[in-house]
Amino acid sequence: MNCGEPNEASCEDVLAEVWLFLDNECDQSRRDAVQKHLDGCGTCLEHFGIEEHIKALLHRKCSGEHAPTELKERLRASIREAVLSQADITVERGPDGTSVEVRKKTSAE
């Protein structure tokens, strides 16, 4: 669906980028295109408003709080394990614990 001129951003594109727009994570030309679309499309503007309110609510409820260190470490370990298992590799550390050697798993492992 496209609310404006043929070369204007489509509603689907704009709604897919709403969070990038809200977080200022898109370049200026893309921000301008999204803003132009929002200015002329009531449906997208309404959806944008909902997203903006959700973001503000999350910021109010979650700002200033930090995850406990042990939770962060558990998450890192879990992510590391998932990545390594999907990559079908093993990681071996040297005696000092800092060097890492990555090698392809063999069928015998």
Side-chain angles (χ1 to χ4, degrees):
M1 183 165 93
N2 193 333
C3 298
E5 299 174 24
N7 61 349
E8 188 178 299
S10 70
C11 293
E12 289 84 8
D13 290 344
V14 168
L15 294 177
E17 293 184 74
V18 163
W19 285 98
L20 294 173
F21 182 86
L22 285 170
D23 292 337
N24 293 316
E25 293 180 359
C26 47
D27 64 35
Q28 190 59 47
S29 65
R30 194 65 200 143
R31 284 190 63 74
D32 293 343
V34 170
Q35 185 65 58
K36 180 180 177 185
H37 183 94
L38 290 172
D39 290 344
C41 179
T43 303
C44 289
L45 185 59
E46 180 180 344
H47 187 78
F48 170 76
I50 292 168
E51 300 289 339
E52 192 173 31
H53 287 296
I54 289 170
K55 182 176 169 67
L57 176 66
L58 288 172
H59 179 71
R60 274 196 318 274
K61 297 296 181 184
C62 299
S63 64
E65 293 182 25
H66 299 284
T69 302
E70 54 187 45
L71 173 61
K72 291 178 189 178
E73 290 303 319
R74 285 196 322 257
L75 286 172
R76 283 187 189 107
S78 179
I79 291 168
R80 187 178 308 114
E81 184 178 318
V83 168
L84 293 175
S85 69
Q86 289 188 9
D88 196 29
I89 58 175
T90 58
V91 175
E92 297 177 359
R93 296 187 184 276
D96 62 357
T98 58
S99 63
V100 177
E101 178 184 328
V102 179
R103 61 183 173 84
K104 181 103 170 121
K105 286 183 181 178
T106 64
S107 57
E109 290 183 279

